[in-house]
Amino acid sequence: MHALAEARTRSSEKDFAAAIAAFDRALAAIPRHPRALAGRGYAHLLAGDLPAADADLTLALQLGPPAKLRAAIHFNLGLLAEQRGQPELAATQFRRSDELRPSKAARAKLGPAAGTSDLACNFVDRRGLAGETFPDWPTLHAALQAIDRDI
């Protein structure tokens, strides 16, 4: 699709108005195309039109794109949430992105807790260690082993 290729080129050149127009042409040819919607949403995001970015990215996600594209959409929704001053929502979107397709960019946005899974937190909580701080992994491991021996 020529319009989609042109839209990507215009986006990389930071000519967001031309990119959005090219994405519009792509969507006229293939309505509800997830990649075109996601691309136009990202162009809107970079152009500062947050409501239009939200609408396009949300619709693209609802259309059930492949995991790689879903990861990119979640990442861009995280950027959108950051711009709106919603850090919790941003972290949720970056985490979803990283779960679908691990990336340095998503982990950088998540910060030091990027590798912490809810499963690990729930395990520690069930063992009665919630709220305790350990200086390193070996000390935590030893504490968990001591509890397991007592069970």
Side-chain angles (χ1 to χ4, degrees), residues 53-54 57-58 61 72-82 90 93:
D54 191 11
L57 292 169
T58 300
L61 195 58
I73 294 168
H74 280 296
F75 187 86
N76 291 336
L77 285 168
L79 295 175
L80 176 68
E82 278 185 333
Q93 295 294 352

Side-chain angles (χ1 to χ4, degrees), residues 120 123-125 127 129-130 132-147:
F123 178 80
V124 168
D125 187 42
R127 294 296 193 251
L129 299 175
E132 289 190 42
T133 305
F134 298 90
D136 52 36
W137 284 106
T139 306
L140 171 61
H141 184 262
L144 289 171
Q145 283 183 320
I147 290 172

